[in-house]
Amino acid sequence: MKNETTESTKSAKANAISKHFSAGNIAVMAILAAISFVLYMFVKFPLPFMFPSFLDMQISDLPALLGGFALGPVEGALIIVIKCCIKMPFTSTACIGELGDIAIGVANVLPAALIYRFFKNRKGAILGMALGMVCAVIVGVLMNWLVLIPFYANKFGMGAIVGMMQALYPNVTADTVYNYYLPLAVVPFNILRCLVCALVTYFTYKPLSKALHWEIGKKKVAEQATDVDGAQADDSAAAAVAEQDTASDGN
């Protein structure tokens, strides 16, 4: 009995893994990760009138949100990780910045895709993306407070960080960096970034849904073709039986 239970558990795990990492899912994940990497590397710009110049506005979480909705939360999170790992060889922050982006991106995508997995409607999408935004803001604050700012302060000196912030916050000092930077930059910056990604996802997911679910559509076509072939075979068999019966009656 125990062996049967163990085999059943192993089979369930194998089925779950094969579902997450089917050829179709891997292909879609690869395409979305590539798009996300391009957005991450090249499609970004500062908003110096709103945030410190080292905070670049970018929407590279967008493909991961689309992938999370279409494929599942695991796949969405993996797109974030893959995007940042591809970027690491080009890093100028000893990969600390990319690790921060992984944490914030996963905090955004994972809750959104998880909620949408159970509530596949507009309300589920909105609720999921709102929760993801809240989680991303919280993780962003924690990462900047505990990891990113201490790392940059150690590498460049707190004076350099203060200098980059003084254009926006003239009264900032080394002792008050966190008081200015976290509530006035990190929080609104991540809200704006997540909000832009959420809005684009909301209006583009349905039009792109068929393309993102191409493997499912392919399976349905194959299943329909199989059903048609099966029906034709049944009709042929029935006709053959009818002919045999007719021949028997004639004899």
Coordinates of all heavy atoms in Angstrom, one line a residue, residues 46-138:
P46 N 15.4 57.7 -17.1 CA 15.3 58.3 -15.8 C 14.1 59.3 -15.8 O 13.7 59.8 -16.8 CB 16.6 58.9 -15.5 CG 17.1 59.3 -16.9 CD 16.6 58.2 -17.8
L47 N 13.6 59.6 -14.6 CA 12.6 60.7 -14.4 C 13.2 61.6 -13.4 O 12.8 61.6 -12.2 CB 11.3 60.1 -13.9 CG 10.6 59.2 -14.9 CD1 9.3 58.5 -14.3 CD2 10.2 59.9 -16.2
P48 N 14.2 62.4 -13.7 CA 15.0 63.2 -12.8 C 14.2 64.2 -12.0 O 14.6 64.7 -11.0 CB 16.1 63.8 -13.6 CG 15.5 63.8 -15.0 CD 14.7 62.6 -15.1
F49 N 13.0 64.6 -12.6 CA 12.2 65.6 -11.9 C 11.3 65.0 -10.9 O 10.7 65.7 -10.1 CB 11.3 66.3 -13.0 CG 10.4 65.4 -13.8 CD1 9.2 65.0 -13.4 CD2 11.0 64.8 -15.0 CE1 8.4 64.1 -14.1 CE2 10.2 63.9 -15.7 CZ 9.0 63.6 -15.3
M50 N 11.3 63.6 -10.8 CA 10.5 62.9 -9.8 C 11.3 62.1 -8.9 O 11.0 62.0 -7.7 CB 9.5 62.0 -10.5 CG 8.4 62.7 -11.4 SD 7.4 61.6 -12.2 CE 6.5 60.7 -10.9
F51 N 12.4 61.4 -9.4 CA 13.2 60.4 -8.6 C 14.7 60.7 -8.9 O 15.0 61.3 -9.9 CB 12.8 59.0 -9.1 CG 11.4 58.7 -9.1 CD1 10.7 58.4 -10.2 CD2 10.6 58.7 -7.9 CE1 9.3 58.1 -10.2 CE2 9.3 58.4 -7.9 CZ 8.6 58.1 -9.0
P52 N 15.5 60.2 -8.0 CA 17.0 60.3 -8.2 C 17.4 59.7 -9.5 O 16.7 58.8 -10.0 CB 17.6 59.5 -7.0 CG 16.5 59.7 -6.0 CD 15.2 59.6 -6.6
S53 N 18.4 60.3 -10.1 CA 18.8 59.9 -11.5 C 19.2 58.5 -11.7 O 19.1 57.9 -12.8 CB 19.9 60.8 -12.0 OG 21.0 60.7 -11.1
F54 N 19.5 57.8 -10.6 CA 20.0 56.4 -10.8 C 18.8 55.4 -10.8 O 19.0 54.2 -10.9 CB 21.0 56.0 -9.7 CG 20.5 56.3 -8.3 CD1 19.7 55.4 -7.6 CD2 20.9 57.4 -7.6 CE1 19.2 55.7 -6.3 CE2 20.4 57.7 -6.3 CZ 19.6 56.8 -5.7
L55 N 17.6 55.9 -10.6 CA 16.4 55.1 -10.7 C 15.8 55.2 -12.1 O 15.3 56.2 -12.5 CB 15.3 55.5 -9.7 CG 15.6 55.2 -8.2 CD1 14.5 55.7 -7.3 CD2 15.8 53.7 -8.0
D56 N 16.0 54.1 -12.9 CA 15.5 54.1 -14.3 C 14.1 53.5 -14.4 O 13.9 52.4 -13.9 CB 16.5 53.4 -15.2 CG 17.7 54.1 -15.5 OD1 17.7 55.4 -15.5 OD2 18.8 53.5 -15.6
M57 N 13.2 54.2 -15.0 CA 11.9 53.7 -15.2 C 11.9 52.6 -16.3 O 12.5 52.9 -17.4 CB 10.9 54.8 -15.6 CG 9.5 54.3 -15.8 SD 8.7 53.5 -14.4 CE 8.8 54.8 -13.2
Q58 N 11.4 51.4 -16.1 CA 11.4 50.4 -17.1 C 10.3 49.4 -16.8 O 9.7 49.4 -15.7 CB 12.8 49.6 -17.1 CG 13.3 49.2 -15.7 CD 12.9 47.9 -15.3 OE1 12.3 47.1 -16.0 NE2 13.2 47.5 -14.0
I59 N 9.8 48.7 -17.9 CA 8.7 47.8 -17.8 C 9.0 46.4 -18.1 O 8.2 45.7 -18.7 CB 7.5 48.3 -18.7 CG1 8.0 48.4 -20.1 CG2 7.0 49.7 -18.2 CD1 6.9 48.7 -21.1
S60 N 10.2 46.0 -17.7 CA 10.6 44.6 -18.0 C 9.9 43.5 -17.3 O 10.0 42.3 -17.6 CB 12.1 44.5 -17.8 OG 12.4 44.6 -16.4
D61 N 9.1 43.9 -16.3 CA 8.2 42.9 -15.6 C 7.0 42.5 -16.4 O 6.3 41.6 -16.1 CB 7.7 43.4 -14.2 CG 8.8 43.4 -13.2 OD1 10.0 43.0 -13.5 OD2 8.6 43.9 -12.1
L62 N 6.7 43.3 -17.5 CA 5.5 43.1 -18.3 C 5.4 41.7 -18.9 O 4.4 41.0 -18.8 CB 5.4 44.2 -19.3 CG 4.3 44.1 -20.4 CD1 3.0 44.1 -19.8 CD2 4.5 45.2 -21.4
P63 N 6.5 41.3 -19.6 CA 6.4 39.9 -20.2 C 6.2 38.8 -19.1 O 5.6 37.8 -19.3 CB 7.8 39.8 -20.9 CG 8.2 41.2 -21.2 CD 7.7 42.0 -20.0
A64 N 6.8 39.0 -17.9 CA 6.7 38.1 -16.8 C 5.2 38.0 -16.3 O 4.7 37.0 -16.0 CB 7.6 38.4 -15.7
L65 N 4.6 39.2 -16.3 CA 3.2 39.2 -15.9 C 2.3 38.5 -16.9 O 1.4 37.7 -16.5 CB 2.7 40.7 -15.7 CG 2.8 41.3 -14.4 CD1 2.4 42.8 -14.4 CD2 2.0 40.6 -13.3
L66 N 2.6 38.7 -18.2 CA 1.8 38.1 -19.2 C 2.1 36.6 -19.1 O 1.1 35.7 -19.2 CB 2.2 38.6 -20.6 CG 1.8 40.0 -20.9 CD1 2.5 40.5 -22.2 CD2 0.3 40.2 -21.0
G67 N 3.3 36.2 -18.9 CA 3.6 34.7 -18.8 C 3.0 34.1 -17.6 O 2.6 33.0 -17.6
G68 N 3.0 34.9 -16.5 CA 2.4 34.4 -15.2 C 0.9 34.1 -15.4 O 0.4 33.1 -14.9
F69 N 0.2 35.0 -16.1 CA -1.2 34.8 -16.3 C -1.5 33.7 -17.3 O -2.4 32.9 -17.1 CB -1.8 36.1 -16.9 CG -2.1 37.2 -15.8 CD1 -1.7 37.0 -14.5 CD2 -2.7 38.4 -16.2 CE1 -1.9 38.0 -13.6 CE2 -3.0 39.4 -15.2 CZ -2.5 39.2 -13.9
A70 N -0.6 33.6 -18.3 CA -0.9 32.5 -19.3 C -0.4 31.2 -18.9 O -1.1 30.2 -19.2 CB -0.2 33.0 -20.6
L71 N 0.7 31.1 -18.3 CA 1.3 29.8 -18.0 C 1.2 29.4 -16.5 O 1.1 28.2 -16.2 CB 2.8 29.8 -18.4 CG 3.1 30.2 -19.8 CD1 4.6 30.3 -20.1 CD2 2.4 29.3 -20.8
G72 N 1.3 30.3 -15.6 CA 1.2 30.0 -14.2 C 2.2 30.9 -13.4 O 3.2 31.4 -14.0
P73 N 2.1 30.9 -12.1 CA 3.0 31.7 -11.2 C 4.4 31.3 -11.3 O 5.3 32.1 -11.2 CB 2.4 31.6 -9.8 CG 1.5 30.4 -9.9 CD 1.0 30.3 -11.3
V74 N 4.7 30.0 -11.3 CA 6.1 29.5 -11.4 C 6.8 30.0 -12.6 O 7.9 30.5 -12.6 CB 6.1 27.9 -11.3 CG1 7.5 27.4 -11.5 CG2 5.5 27.4 -10.0
E75 N 6.1 29.9 -13.8 CA 6.7 30.3 -15.0 C 6.9 31.8 -15.0 O 7.9 32.3 -15.5 CB 5.8 29.9 -16.2 CG 5.8 28.4 -16.5 CD 4.8 27.6 -15.6 OE1 4.3 28.2 -14.6 OE2 4.5 26.5 -15.9
G76 N 6.0 32.6 -14.5 CA 6.1 34.0 -14.4 C 7.3 34.4 -13.6 O 8.1 35.3 -14.0
A77 N 7.5 33.8 -12.4 CA 8.7 34.1 -11.6 C 10.0 33.7 -12.3 O 11.0 34.4 -12.2 CB 8.5 33.3 -10.2
L78 N 9.9 32.5 -13.0 CA 11.2 32.1 -13.7 C 11.6 33.1 -14.8 O 12.8 33.3 -15.0 CB 10.9 30.7 -14.3 CG 11.1 29.5 -13.3 CD1 10.7 28.2 -14.0 CD2 12.5 29.4 -12.7
I79 N 10.6 33.7 -15.4 CA 10.9 34.7 -16.5 C 11.7 35.8 -15.8 O 12.7 36.3 -16.4 CB 9.7 35.2 -17.2 CG1 9.1 34.0 -18.0 CG2 10.0 36.4 -18.1 CD1 7.7 34.3 -18.6
I80 N 11.3 36.3 -14.7 CA 12.0 37.3 -13.9 C 13.4 36.9 -13.6 O 14.4 37.6 -13.9 CB 11.3 37.7 -12.6 CG1 9.9 38.3 -12.9 CG2 12.2 38.6 -11.7 CD1 10.0 39.7 -13.4
V81 N 13.6 35.7 -13.1 CA 14.9 35.2 -12.7 C 15.8 35.0 -14.0 O 17.0 35.5 -14.0 CB 14.8 33.8 -12.0 CG1 16.2 33.2 -11.8 CG2 14.0 34.0 -10.7
I82 N 15.3 34.5 -15.1 CA 16.1 34.3 -16.3 C 16.5 35.7 -16.8 O 17.7 35.8 -17.2 CB 15.2 33.5 -17.3 CG1 15.0 32.1 -16.9 CG2 16.0 33.5 -18.7 CD1 14.0 31.4 -17.7
K83 N 15.6 36.6 -16.9 CA 15.9 38.0 -17.4 C 17.1 38.6 -16.6 O 18.1 39.1 -17.2 CB 14.7 38.9 -17.2 CG 15.0 40.3 -17.4 CD 13.8 41.2 -16.8 CE 13.9 41.3 -15.3 NZ 12.9 42.2 -14.8
C84 N 17.1 38.5 -15.3 CA 18.1 39.1 -14.5 C 19.4 38.3 -14.6 O 20.5 38.9 -14.5 CB 17.6 39.2 -13.0 SG 16.3 40.4 -12.8
C85 N 19.3 37.0 -14.7 CA 20.5 36.2 -14.8 C 21.3 36.5 -16.1 O 22.5 36.5 -16.2 CB 20.2 34.7 -14.7 SG 19.8 34.2 -13.0
I86 N 20.5 36.7 -17.2 CA 21.1 37.0 -18.5 C 21.8 38.4 -18.4 O 22.9 38.6 -19.0 CB 20.1 37.0 -19.6 CG1 19.5 35.7 -19.8 CG2 20.7 37.5 -20.9 CD1 18.3 35.6 -20.8
K87 N 21.3 39.3 -17.6 CA 21.8 40.6 -17.4 C 23.1 40.6 -16.6 O 23.9 41.5 -16.7 CB 20.8 41.5 -16.8 CG 21.2 42.8 -16.2 CD 21.5 43.9 -17.3 CE 21.5 45.3 -16.8 NZ 22.3 45.5 -15.5
M88 N 23.3 39.6 -15.7 CA 24.4 39.6 -14.7 C 25.8 39.8 -15.3 O 26.6 40.5 -14.8 CB 24.3 38.4 -13.8 CG 23.2 38.5 -12.8 SD 23.1 37.1 -11.7 CE 21.8 37.5 -10.6
P89 N 26.1 39.2 -16.5 CA 27.4 39.4 -17.0 C 27.7 40.8 -17.4 O 28.9 41.2 -17.6 CB 27.4 38.5 -18.3 CG 26.4 37.4 -18.0 CD 25.3 38.1 -17.2
F90 N 26.6 41.6 -17.6 CA 26.8 43.0 -17.9 C 26.7 44.0 -16.7 O 26.6 45.2 -16.9 CB 25.8 43.4 -19.0 CG 25.8 42.5 -20.2 CD1 24.8 41.5 -20.3 CD2 26.7 42.6 -21.2 CE1 24.7 40.6 -21.3 CE2 26.6 41.7 -22.3 CZ 25.7 40.8 -22.4
T91 N 26.6 43.4 -15.5 CA 26.4 44.2 -14.3 C 27.5 45.2 -14.0 O 28.6 44.9 -14.3 CB 26.1 43.3 -13.2 OG1 25.7 44.0 -12.0 CG2 27.4 42.5 -12.8
S92 N 27.1 46.3 -13.4 CA 28.1 47.2 -12.8 C 27.9 47.3 -11.3 O 28.5 48.2 -10.7 CB 27.8 48.6 -13.5 OG 26.5 49.0 -13.2
T93 N 27.1 46.4 -10.7 CA 26.9 46.4 -9.3 C 27.2 45.1 -8.6 O 26.6 44.8 -7.5 CB 25.4 46.7 -9.1 OG1 24.6 45.6 -9.6 CG2 25.0 48.0 -9.7
A94 N 28.1 44.3 -9.2 CA 28.5 43.0 -8.6 C 27.3 42.1 -8.4 O 27.2 41.3 -7.5 CB 29.2 43.2 -7.3
C95 N 26.3 42.3 -9.3 CA 25.0 41.5 -9.3 C 24.1 41.8 -8.2 O 23.0 41.2 -8.1 CB 25.3 40.0 -9.3 SG 26.2 39.4 -10.8
I96 N 24.4 42.8 -7.3 CA 23.5 43.1 -6.2 C 22.3 43.8 -6.7 O 21.2 43.5 -6.3 CB 24.3 44.1 -5.2 CG1 25.5 43.4 -4.6 CG2 23.3 44.5 -4.1 CD1 25.1 42.1 -3.8
G97 N 22.4 44.7 -7.7 CA 21.3 45.3 -8.3 C 20.3 44.3 -9.0 O 19.1 44.4 -8.8
E98 N 20.9 43.3 -9.7 CA 20.1 42.3 -10.3 C 19.4 41.4 -9.3 O 18.2 41.0 -9.5 CB 20.9 41.4 -11.2 CG 21.4 42.1 -12.5 CD 22.4 43.2 -12.3 OE1 23.2 43.1 -11.3 OE2 22.6 44.1 -13.1
L99 N 20.0 41.1 -8.2 CA 19.4 40.3 -7.1 C 18.2 41.1 -6.5 O 17.2 40.5 -6.2 CB 20.4 40.0 -6.0 CG 21.5 38.9 -6.4 CD1 22.5 38.8 -5.3 CD2 20.9 37.6 -6.8
G100 N 18.4 42.4 -6.4 CA 17.3 43.2 -5.9 C 16.1 43.2 -6.9 O 15.0 43.2 -6.5
D101 N 16.5 43.3 -8.2 CA 15.4 43.3 -9.2 C 14.7 41.9 -9.2 O 13.5 41.9 -9.5 CB 16.0 43.6 -10.6 CG 16.4 45.1 -10.7 OD1 15.8 45.9 -10.0 OD2 17.3 45.4 -11.5
I102 N 15.4 40.9 -9.0 CA 14.8 39.5 -8.9 C 13.8 39.5 -7.7 O 12.6 39.1 -7.9 CB 15.8 38.4 -8.7 CG1 16.6 38.2 -10.0 CG2 15.1 37.1 -8.3 CD1 17.7 37.2 -9.9
A103 N 14.2 40.0 -6.6 CA 13.3 40.0 -5.4 C 12.1 40.8 -5.6 O 10.9 40.4 -5.3 CB 14.1 40.4 -4.2
I104 N 12.3 42.0 -6.1 CA 11.1 42.9 -6.4 C 10.2 42.4 -7.5 O 9.0 42.4 -7.4 CB 11.6 44.3 -6.7 CG1 12.4 44.9 -5.5 CG2 10.5 45.3 -7.0 CD1 13.2 46.2 -5.7
G105 N 10.8 41.9 -8.6 CA 10.0 41.4 -9.7 C 9.2 40.2 -9.3 O 8.0 40.1 -9.7
V106 N 9.8 39.2 -8.6 CA 9.1 38.1 -8.2 C 8.0 38.4 -7.2 O 6.9 37.9 -7.3 CB 10.0 37.0 -7.5 CG1 9.3 35.9 -6.9 CG2 11.0 36.4 -8.6
A107 N 8.2 39.4 -6.3 CA 7.2 39.9 -5.4 C 6.0 40.5 -6.1 O 4.9 40.4 -5.7 CB 7.8 40.9 -4.4
N108 N 6.3 41.1 -7.3 CA 5.2 41.6 -8.1 C 4.5 40.6 -8.9 O 3.2 40.5 -8.9 CB 5.8 42.7 -9.1 CG 4.8 43.3 -9.9 OD1 3.6 43.4 -9.6 ND2 5.2 43.8 -11.1
V109 N 5.2 39.7 -9.6 CA 4.5 38.7 -10.5 C 3.9 37.6 -9.8 O 2.8 37.1 -10.2 CB 5.6 38.3 -11.5 CG1 5.1 37.1 -12.4 CG2 6.1 39.4 -12.4
L110 N 4.6 37.0 -8.8 CA 4.1 35.8 -8.2 C 2.7 35.9 -7.6 O 1.8 35.1 -7.9 CB 5.1 35.3 -7.1 CG 5.0 33.9 -6.6 CD1 5.1 32.9 -7.8 CD2 6.0 33.5 -5.6
P111 N 2.4 36.9 -6.7 CA 1.1 37.0 -6.2 C 0.0 37.3 -7.2 O -1.1 36.8 -7.2 CB 1.2 38.2 -5.2 CG 2.6 38.4 -4.9 CD 3.3 37.9 -6.2
A112 N 0.4 38.1 -8.2 CA -0.6 38.5 -9.3 C -1.0 37.2 -10.1 O -2.2 36.9 -10.3 CB 0.0 39.5 -10.2
A113 N 0.0 36.4 -10.5 CA -0.3 35.2 -11.2 C -1.0 34.1 -10.4 O -1.8 33.4 -10.8 CB 1.0 34.6 -11.8
L114 N -0.6 34.1 -9.1 CA -1.3 33.1 -8.2 C -2.7 33.4 -8.0 O -3.6 32.5 -8.0 CB -0.5 33.1 -6.8 CG -0.8 31.9 -5.9 CD1 -0.4 30.6 -6.6 CD2 0.0 32.1 -4.6
I115 N -3.1 34.7 -7.8 CA -4.5 35.0 -7.6 C -5.2 34.8 -8.9 O -6.4 34.2 -8.9 CB -4.6 36.5 -7.2 CG1 -4.0 36.8 -5.8 CG2 -6.1 37.0 -7.3 CD1 -4.7 36.1 -4.7
Y116 N -4.6 35.1 -10.1 CA -5.3 35.0 -11.3 C -5.5 33.5 -11.7 O -6.5 33.1 -12.4 CB -4.5 35.6 -12.5 CG -5.3 35.6 -13.8 CD1 -6.4 36.5 -14.0 CD2 -4.9 34.8 -14.8 CE1 -7.0 36.5 -15.2 CE2 -5.5 34.8 -16.0 CZ -6.6 35.6 -16.2 OH -7.3 35.6 -17.4
R117 N -4.6 32.6 -11.2 CA -4.8 31.2 -11.4 C -6.1 30.6 -10.8 O -6.7 29.7 -11.4 CB -3.6 30.5 -10.8 CG -3.6 29.0 -11.0 CD -2.4 28.3 -10.4 NE -2.3 26.9 -10.7 CZ -1.4 26.1 -10.3 NH1 -0.3 26.6 -9.6 NH2 -1.4 24.8 -10.5
F118 N -6.5 31.2 -9.7 CA -7.7 30.7 -9.1 C -9.0 31.5 -9.4 O -10.1 31.1 -9.3 CB -7.6 30.7 -7.6 CG -6.5 29.7 -7.1 CD1 -5.3 30.1 -6.7 CD2 -6.8 28.3 -7.0 CE1 -4.3 29.2 -6.3 CE2 -5.9 27.4 -6.6 CZ -4.6 27.8 -6.3
F119 N -8.8 32.8 -9.9 CA -9.9 33.6 -10.3 C -9.6 34.2 -11.7 O -9.1 35.3 -11.8 CB -10.1 34.8 -9.2 CG -10.3 34.3 -7.8 CD1 -9.2 34.2 -7.0 CD2 -11.5 33.8 -7.4 CE1 -9.4 33.7 -5.7 CE2 -11.7 33.4 -6.1 CZ -10.6 33.3 -5.3
K120 N -9.9 33.4 -12.7 CA -9.5 33.8 -14.1 C -10.6 34.8 -14.6 O -11.4 34.4 -15.5 CB -9.4 32.6 -14.9 CG -8.1 31.8 -14.6 CD -7.9 30.7 -15.6 CE -6.6 30.0 -15.4 NZ -5.4 30.8 -15.6
N121 N -10.6 36.0 -14.1 CA -11.5 37.0 -14.7 C -10.9 38.4 -14.4 O -9.8 38.4 -13.9 CB -12.9 36.9 -14.0 CG -12.8 36.9 -12.5 OD1 -12.1 37.7 -11.9 ND2 -13.5 35.9 -11.8
R122 N -11.6 39.4 -14.9 CA -11.0 40.7 -14.7 C -10.8 41.1 -13.3 O -9.7 41.7 -12.9 CB -11.9 41.8 -15.4 CG -11.9 41.6 -16.9 CD -12.8 42.7 -17.6 NE -12.9 42.5 -19.0 CZ -12.0 42.9 -19.9 NH1 -11.0 43.6 -19.5 NH2 -12.1 42.7 -21.2
K123 N -11.7 40.8 -12.4 CA -11.6 41.1 -11.0 C -10.4 40.4 -10.4 O -9.6 41.0 -9.6 CB -12.8 40.8 -10.2 CG -14.0 41.7 -10.5 CD -15.2 41.3 -9.7 CE -16.4 42.2 -10.0 NZ -17.6 41.9 -9.2
G124 N -10.2 39.1 -10.8 CA -9.0 38.4 -10.3 C -7.7 39.0 -10.8 O -6.8 39.1 -10.0
A125 N -7.7 39.4 -12.0 CA -6.5 40.1 -12.6 C -6.2 41.4 -11.9 O -5.0 41.6 -11.5 CB -6.7 40.3 -14.1
I126 N -7.2 42.2 -11.6 CA -7.0 43.5 -10.9 C -6.6 43.2 -9.5 O -5.6 43.9 -9.0 CB -8.3 44.3 -11.0 CG1 -8.6 44.7 -12.4 CG2 -8.1 45.5 -10.1 CD1 -9.9 45.4 -12.6
L127 N -7.2 42.3 -8.8 CA -6.9 42.0 -7.4 C -5.4 41.5 -7.3 O -4.7 41.9 -6.5 CB -7.9 41.0 -6.8 CG -7.6 40.5 -5.4 CD1 -7.6 41.7 -4.4 CD2 -8.6 39.5 -5.0
G128 N -5.1 40.6 -8.3 CA -3.8 40.0 -8.2 C -2.7 41.0 -8.5 O -1.7 41.0 -7.8
M129 N -2.9 41.9 -9.5 CA -1.9 42.9 -9.8 C -1.8 44.0 -8.7 O -0.7 44.5 -8.4 CB -2.2 43.5 -11.1 CG -1.9 42.6 -12.3 SD -2.0 43.3 -14.0 CE -3.8 43.6 -14.1
A130 N -2.9 44.3 -8.0 CA -2.9 45.2 -6.9 C -2.1 44.6 -5.7 O -1.2 45.3 -5.1 CB -4.3 45.5 -6.4
L131 N -2.3 43.3 -5.4 CA -1.6 42.6 -4.4 C -0.1 42.5 -4.7 O 0.8 42.7 -3.9 CB -2.1 41.2 -4.1 CG -1.4 40.4 -3.1 CD1 -1.5 41.1 -1.7 CD2 -2.0 39.0 -3.0
G132 N 0.2 42.2 -6.0 CA 1.6 42.2 -6.5 C 2.3 43.5 -6.3 O 3.5 43.6 -5.9
M133 N 1.6 44.6 -6.6 CA 2.2 45.9 -6.5 C 2.5 46.2 -5.0 O 3.6 46.7 -4.7 CB 1.2 47.0 -7.0 CG 1.7 48.4 -6.9 SD 0.7 49.6 -7.8 CE -0.8 49.5 -6.9
V134 N 1.6 45.9 -4.1 CA 1.8 46.1 -2.7 C 3.1 45.3 -2.2 O 3.9 45.8 -1.5 CB 0.6 45.7 -1.8 CG1 0.9 45.7 -0.3 CG2 -0.6 46.6 -2.1
C135 N 3.1 44.0 -2.6 CA 4.3 43.2 -2.2 C 5.6 43.7 -2.8 O 6.6 43.7 -2.1 CB 4.0 41.7 -2.7 SG 2.7 40.9 -1.9
A136 N 5.5 44.2 -4.1 CA 6.7 44.7 -4.7 C 7.2 46.0 -4.0 O 8.4 46.2 -3.8 CB 6.5 45.0 -6.2
V137 N 6.3 46.8 -3.5 CA 6.7 48.0 -2.8 C 7.3 47.7 -1.5 O 8.4 48.2 -1.1 CB 5.4 48.9 -2.6 CG1 5.8 50.1 -1.6 CG2 5.0 49.5 -3.9
I138 N 6.7 46.7 -0.8 CA 7.3 46.3 0.5 C 8.7 45.7 0.4 O 9.6 46.1 1.1 CB 6.3 45.3 1.2 CG1 5.0 46.0 1.6 CG2 7.0 44.7 2.5 CD1 3.9 45.0 2.1

